[in-house]
C-alpha cells in the first residue's frame, strides 16, 4: 500500500509540474520576445490554481506558496512590461517545475 501511494504521489506531481513547465516555457519565450502580456501570466495562474488543488494533498504548502508568489510577481512584471524581471521570475518557476517533482520521485534515494 505504501509503495502504491508513493507511486501515485510521484505520478501526480510529475504530471502536474510537467504541464506547468510547458505553460511557463511558452510564456517565458514570449517574454524574451517582449510579446507576453498580463493575460498570459493570468492563464498560467489559472492552470496553477487547478493543479495545486490536488497537489495540496501531496506536497508541502511551502512549495505551493512559493509557486504562488513567483507567479504573482511574474504577472506584475508582465503587466508593467518589465520583461527582464518577468523573465527572471519565470526562470525560477521553470526551474522549480523541474526540481520539485524530483523530491517525490519513486526512487531509492527518496526512501533512504
Amino acid at each position: 500500500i505504501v509503495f502504491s501511494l508513493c507511486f501515485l504521489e510521484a505520478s501526480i506531481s510529475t504530471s502536474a509540474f510537467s504541464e506547468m513547465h510547458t505553460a511557463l516555457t511558452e510564456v517565458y519565450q514570449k517574454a524574451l520576445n517582449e510579446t507576453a502580456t498580463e493575460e498570459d501570466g493570468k492563464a498560467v495562474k489559472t492552470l496553477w490554481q487547478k493543479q495545486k488543488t490536488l497537489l495540496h494533498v501531496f506536497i508541502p504548502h511551502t512549495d505551493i506558496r512559493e509557486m504562488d508568489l513567483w507567479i504573482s510577481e511574474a504577472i506584475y512584471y508582465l503587466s508593467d512590461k518589465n520583461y527582464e524581471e518577468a523573465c527572471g521570475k519565470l526562470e525560477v518557476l521553470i526551474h522549480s517545475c523541474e526540481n520539485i517533482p524530483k523530491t517525490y520521485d519513486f526512487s531509492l534515494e527518496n526512501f533512504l
Side-chain angles (χ1 to χ4, degrees):
I1 292 174
V2 171
F3 287 113
S4 296
L5 290 174
C6 290
F7 182 77
L8 179 65
E9 173 188 45
S11 177
I12 289 172
S13 67
T14 299
S15 174
F17 282 105
S18 175
E19 193 172 344
M20 284 300 299
H21 186 278
T22 300
L24 287 162
T25 301
E26 290 174 10
V27 175
Y28 178 74
Q29 289 300 319
K30 289 177 84 172
L32 285 175
N33 295 327
E34 298 187 357
T35 59
T37 65
E38 181 179 3
E39 288 73 31
D40 292 321
K42 287 181 178 179
V44 167
K45 185 175 184 172
T46 299
L47 175 62
W48 175 243
Q49 296 292 337
K50 183 182 99 178
Q51 299 293 0
K52 78 177 187 176
T53 301
L54 186 56
L55 289 173
H56 268 294
V57 175
F58 298 109
I59 69 172
H61 297 299
T62 54
D63 288 339
I64 291 172
R65 184 176 59 237
E66 287 177 359
M67 293 286 291
D68 285 337
L69 290 172
W70 291 322
I71 290 170
S72 294
E73 289 176 6
I75 291 170
Y76 170 79
Y77 289 125
L78 289 173
S79 71
D80 200 32
K81 298 190 185 317
N82 185 341
Y83 296 110
E84 184 177 340
E85 291 293 333
C87 283
K89 297 301 176 182
L90 292 165
E91 286 175 9
V92 170
L93 285 160
I94 290 167
H95 180 72
S96 295
C97 287
E98 293 168 354
N99 288 298
I100 292 173
K102 291 178 184 176
T103 308
Y104 309 101
D105 275 349
F106 193 72
S107 63
L108 182 60
E109 63 225 17
N110 285 339
F111 288 106
L112 298 178

